[in-house]
Amino acid sequence: RCLSDWSSDVCSSDLYHLARMHALAEVLPVTAIELAAEQKLYGWRADKAGLDIVTLHDGALEDRRSLWVRLRMILSLWQALNAIRPRGLLIPGYSDVCCLAAAVWARMRHARTVLMFDSTETDHPRFWEKELVKRALVKLLFDFGFVSGQRTSDYLEKLGMDSRCIVRTYDVVDNAFFAHGAEHVRSASCPEDWGLPNRYFLYVGRLAPEKNLGGLLRAFHQYVDGGGTWSLVLVGVGPQEQH
C-alpha cells in the first residue's frame, strides 16, 4: 500500500493531490492520510468520494496552533500507519513534524519513502546551517524524489539525492475535471451573463501576496500603455481581495 501524508502547505483541500491519488489508484492500492478535513487558507472541503482517506482531525488545519492538537495528530498519524502498514510512503516535504514522523515510521518499518518536493534554491533565502540539516534529513529519511521541474530537481540533488532517484512529474492537472466543468458552464451560460468582455487575460487563484498579483498588474499596465486592448479578469478570494 502507498500512503500520502498531507501537510500544512498541501492538505486535502489541494485538488492536485486528489488528481494524483485518482491516477495512482488506477495502478496501485492507495490510502491517503490527511492531517485535517479542511484548510481555511483555501476555504473549501474537497470532494473525496470513492477514495480511501483517513482523516486525523475533522476540523481545520489551522487548529494545529494548539500544542495539544498537534501532539494528538502525531499520535493519530502513528496509529494510522501501524494499522495501514504501507510498503511505501509519499511524503510532502520535510518541514512539517508530521511529515518527519511519517518518514521516521517508514525507516523503522523498512518502508520506502518518496519525497514530494517543489522548492527551488532561489525561491527563499538559504542559510548554510539550515541547508546542512536538510541534507541530513534527505539522506537519512528519503529514498526517492518526486519533483515539479528541473530547478527543483537540481536543488534536491544539491541536498544530496542521487539524480537517478528523482522523477520530474509532480505538477499535474485533472483534465477530466476541468473539461467537464467547462462543458457545463458553456452549455448553461454565456460570457454576457457574467459581465465578461469579449477578449481578456484570465487569472484564477488565491488573491495572496505569494501569487505576485502586483507584478501581474504592473505587466498589464505596460500592456495597456503599449496599446493593448484586451481586459484582465481576476477570479479568486484571499487576503488581498479588498486591495
Side-chain angles (χ1 to χ4, degrees), residues 5-221:
D5 171 50
W6 296 337
S7 69
S8 57
D9 54 352
V10 278
C11 85
S12 68
S13 317
D14 190 331
L15 301 183
Y16 301 111
H17 276 308
L18 294 182
R20 294 183 183 106
M21 190 176 177
H22 276 295
L24 183 59
E26 293 180 2
V27 294
L28 290 172
V30 55
T31 298
I33 294 181
E34 61 175 359
L35 300 186
E38 64 176 325
Q39 189 172 7
K40 294 177 182 177
L41 176 66
Y42 296 101
W44 67 71
R45 289 199 179 200
D47 181 7
K48 296 168 283 189
L51 296 173
D52 185 7
I53 298 178
V54 177
T55 303
L56 302 184
H57 177 60
D58 193 50
L61 193 68
E62 286 79 3
D63 295 341
R64 290 202 309 162
R65 294 187 182 96
S66 163
L67 179 60
W68 166 245
V69 172
R70 187 179 293 268
L71 292 174
R72 189 172 60 187
M73 278 188 182
I74 296 172
L75 178 60
S76 297
L77 170 62
W78 201 269
Q79 292 172 339
L81 289 170
N82 282 333
I84 299 168
R85 300 192 67 82
R87 292 182 301 181
L89 288 84
L90 290 158
I91 302 176
Y94 42 59
S95 61
D96 185 273
V97 65
C98 285
C99 291
L100 294 178
V104 170
W105 183 95
R107 278 292 177 261
M108 293 176 63
R109 300 298 193 279
H110 306 290
R112 293 298 184 96
T113 53
V114 180
L115 175 63
M116 304 169 71
F117 194 66
D118 63 356
S119 296
T120 68
E121 188 173 9
T122 58
D123 58 8
H124 292 289
R126 303 297 177 186
F127 304 98
W128 68 268
E129 302 96 330
K130 290 185 178 181
E131 297 304 288
L132 285 177
V133 174
K134 292 176 186 178
R135 287 182 62 89
L137 292 175
V138 168
K139 183 176 181 179
L140 292 173
L141 297 179
F142 298 101
D143 299 306
F144 304 100
F146 185 37
V147 306
S148 57
Q150 185 61 56
R151 290 192 301 163
T152 301
S153 179
D154 292 342
Y155 182 40
L156 190 54
E157 285 185 54
K158 190 170 182 178
L159 292 177
M161 183 165 288
D162 191 325
S163 61
R164 295 171 296 180
C165 297
I166 300 174
V167 176
R168 297 195 302 270
T169 53
Y170 180 81
D171 286 338
V172 296
V173 174
D174 187 341
N175 291 314
F177 173 84
F178 287 104
H180 175 75
E183 180 181 356
H184 171 73
V185 170
R186 287 168 180 154
S187 64
S189 63
C190 61
E192 291 76 16
D193 295 335
W194 302 93
L196 291 171
N198 289 327
R199 294 182 179 274
Y200 55 89
F201 301 104
L202 177 65
Y203 167 84
V204 180
R206 287 185 294 113
L207 307 180
E210 61 269 23
K211 300 301 183 181
N212 192 25
L213 293 174
L216 172 61
L217 293 174
R218 287 190 294 273
F220 180 69
H221 186 267

Side-chain angles (χ1 to χ4, degrees), residues 201 217-232:
F201 301 104
L217 293 174
R218 287 190 294 273
F220 180 69
H221 186 267
Q222 293 178 5
Y223 164 76
V224 172
D225 281 351
T229 59
W230 285 26
S231 299
L232 173 63

